[in-house]
């Protein structure tokens, strides 16, 4: 099934607005899933039928997603994308703002963070051959500094996994030790520790020049690896290296955490939470924290502060 024409027009509007390719892809995915469901819920889909949907129709869709055990984060993202489509066609006054879930986020506990010692153990494990099979030992030298670079950006600078995926070569300035993080809602400049910069630079320079992402370009910084051929992927259809996927980073973190001996439940959110907590303890102001981490609301910050207070 393809997106209905009216939804394709909305996506084209997003592209013209300069939204990132990864963002456009996620919009398409979420909208397509909605219209696939709608094609079964309603007998046909066109602009007129869609425009006549009520809020209750959308609530039925979110009930369907909840029954499929969709996460709170996914529910909120889908609601945001559907709200974008509704707003584009000036239906917000009638439909209202979809929320996807009314569940209040629970308070944070020690299980939502990693300690400095745990982070150090993870870094040390990534740089070692600990627990690798013979096959993995032939592959891992190609991946060590890429994996280490991504984990450093999440643990030491609090980047989200989406932000790591979206970094392009033009965003990093190796000469000035800076990294620009660009999202749909804001951009921010981060100063990199020179030693961390060296690790990222080594990862890039170790890639053979033929497949290496080009300086100051839209080429992705972090690219996929072809394990069988022992080379980084190059997509000849678009003339640039193939960007690593979210799922690939998630699997990488799971494997590295398991290899390090840490709790298997450690996820990227633990890295970000811990980084924010560290800055709060250092006395950073709310405005500085919001700016540095690109927070779109103060809610996440207040959760951290409630944890610290309790």
């Amino acid at each position: 099934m393809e997106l209905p024409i009216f939804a394709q027009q909305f996506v084209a509007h997003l592209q013209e607005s300069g939204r990132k390719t990864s963002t456009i892809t996620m919009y398409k995915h979420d909208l397509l899933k909605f219209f696939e469901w709608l094609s079964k819920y309603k007998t046909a889909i066109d602009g007129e039928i869609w425009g006549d949907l009520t809020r209750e129709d959308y609530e039925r869709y979110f009930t369907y997603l909840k029954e499929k055990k969709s996460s709170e984060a996914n529910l909120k993202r889908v609601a945001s994308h559907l709200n974008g489509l509704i707003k584009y066609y000036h239906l917000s006054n009638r439909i209202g703002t979809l929320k996807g879930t009314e569940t209040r986020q629970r308070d944070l506990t020690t299980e939502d963070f990693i300690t400095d010692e745990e982070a150090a153990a993870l870094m040390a494990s990534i740089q070692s051959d600990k627990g690798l099979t013979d096959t993995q030992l032939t592959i891992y030298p190609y991946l060590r500094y890429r994996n280490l670079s991504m984990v450093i950006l999440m643990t030491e600078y609090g980047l989200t996994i989406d932000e790591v995926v979206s970094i392009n070569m033009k965003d990093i300035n190796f000469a000035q030790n800076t990294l620009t993080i660009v999202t749909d809602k804001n951009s921010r400049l981060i100063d990199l520790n020179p030693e961390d910069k060296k690790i990222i630079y080594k990862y890039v320079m170790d890639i053979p020049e033929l497949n290496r992402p080009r300086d100051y370009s839209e080429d992705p910084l972090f690219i996929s690896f072809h394990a069988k051929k022992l080379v980084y992927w190059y997509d000849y259809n678009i003339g640039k290296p193939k960007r690593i996927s979210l799922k690939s980073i998630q699997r990488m973190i799971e494997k590295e955490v398991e290899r390090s001996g840490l709790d298997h439940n450690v996820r990227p959110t633990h890295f970000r939470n811990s980084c924010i907590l560290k800055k709060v303890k250092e006395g950073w102001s709310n405005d500085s924290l919001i700016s540095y981490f690109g927070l779109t609301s103060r809610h996440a910050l207040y959760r951290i502060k409630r944890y610290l207070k309790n």
Side-chain angles (χ1 to χ4, degrees):
M1 178 180 176
E2 293 186 351
L3 281 175
I5 297 298
F6 62 89
Q8 292 182 30
Q9 292 171 342
F10 168 62
V11 171
H13 163 73
L14 295 175
Q15 291 171 325
E16 292 169 0
S17 301
R19 296 294 183 94
K20 286 202 167 195
T21 302
S22 57
T23 301
I24 298 296
T25 300
M26 192 57 69
Y27 263 94
K28 286 181 179 178
H29 173 271
D30 289 341
L31 292 177
L32 185 59
K33 290 297 182 183
F34 170 70
F35 286 113
E36 285 176 348
W37 171 84
L38 190 60
S39 68
K40 299 174 183 177
Y41 174 58
K42 299 282 187 181
T43 56
I45 300 175
D46 58 30
E48 183 176 351
I49 289 177
W50 173 74
D52 288 337
L53 292 182
T54 65
R55 185 180 181 87
E56 287 69 30
D57 292 320
Y58 289 102
E59 296 297 346
R60 287 190 180 95
Y61 180 58
F62 287 113
T63 298
Y64 162 77
L65 292 179
K66 291 171 186 176
E67 290 172 350
K68 291 176 66 67
K69 308 299 182 184
S70 189
S71 70
E72 296 293 313
N74 285 343
L75 291 170
K76 290 179 180 179
R77 188 194 67 240
V78 171
S80 175
H81 292 172
L82 288 173
N83 281 328
L85 180 65
I86 290 168
K87 183 178 179 180
Y88 180 72
Y89 283 104
H90 308 293
L91 298 173
S92 299
N93 287 340
R94 183 167 63 80
I95 302 297
T97 300
L98 304 175
K99 294 184 178 180
T101 175
E102 298 289 344
T103 302
R104 179 184 178 273
Q105 285 186 297
R106 62 173 177 77
D107 287 338
L108 296 172
T109 71
T110 54
E111 299 299 317
D112 295 299
F113 303 89
I114 62 168
T115 65
D116 290 343
E117 292 75 19
E118 290 172 329
L122 178 59
M123 299 290 188
S125 176
I126 293 174
Q127 296 176 74
S128 74
D129 293 336
K130 172 185 174 182
L132 296 175
T133 65
D134 290 342
T135 301
Q136 291 171 331
L137 283 170
T138 63
I139 299 171
Y140 199 68
Y142 298 92
L143 302 178
R144 179 174 284 113
Y145 283 94
R146 185 199 67 175
N147 293 359
L148 183 59
S149 296
M150 291 189 288
V151 172
I152 283 174
L153 290 176
M154 287 184 275
T155 57
E156 299 300 314
Y157 302 92
L159 268 63
T160 67
I161 193 170
D162 298 89
E163 290 171 345
V164 170
V165 168
S166 300
I167 298 172
N168 292 329
M169 287 298 292
K170 70 174 186 178
D171 300 326
I172 188 164
N173 189 318
F174 289 113
Q176 297 183 11
N177 299 334
T178 59
L179 176 65
T180 302
I181 304 300
V182 181
T183 68
D184 294 330
K185 297 181 179 179
N186 54 49
S187 67
R188 62 192 194 275
L189 187 68
I190 292 176
D191 292 320
L192 296 174
N193 180 297
E195 295 304 313
D196 295 337
K197 185 278 300 276
K198 289 178 183 178
I199 290 172
I200 301 172
Y201 186 73
K202 177 171 175 53
Y203 146 67
V204 173
M205 297 310 295
D206 281 351
I207 301 172
E209 189 172 358
L210 184 63
N211 290 3
R212 186 186 304 156
R214 297 162 294 184
D215 289 342
Y216 312 113
S217 72
E218 297 281 353
D219 289 359
L221 171 61
F222 295 115
I223 57 182
S224 297
F225 188 76
H226 196 307
K228 291 184 178 179
K229 295 183 178 180
L230 296 181
V231 295
Y232 278 99
W233 278 95
Y234 191 89
D235 191 336
Y236 290 96
N237 292 324
I238 60 176
K240 63 175 65 174
K242 183 179 179 181
R243 190 181 302 275
I244 194 170
S245 67
L246 281 171
K247 287 187 177 180
S248 293
I249 298 182
Q250 289 169 338
R251 285 197 296 268
M252 178 275 290
I253 292 172
E254 289 172 1
K255 291 177 181 178
E256 294 291 10
V257 166
E258 181 178 6
R259 195 161 69 90
S260 71
L262 298 182
D263 185 337
H264 291 194
N265 290 324
V266 171
R267 298 182 300 278
T269 51
H270 290 75
F271 303 151
R272 183 168 169 87
N273 286 345
S274 301
C275 191
I276 297 174
L277 178 63
K278 185 183 298 183
K279 302 301 184 187
V280 171
K281 288 180 176 179
E282 291 174 2
W284 284 34
S285 69
N286 286 354
D287 288 342
S288 296
L289 290 163
I290 289 169
S291 174
Y292 185 84
F293 291 103
L295 301 174
T296 55
S297 75
R298 295 173 180 259
H299 180 68
L301 182 57
Y302 292 157
R303 288 182 78 207
I304 299 282
K305 291 199 169 190
R306 280 202 306 271
Y307 165 78
L308 192 59
K309 182 177 179 180
N310 294 333

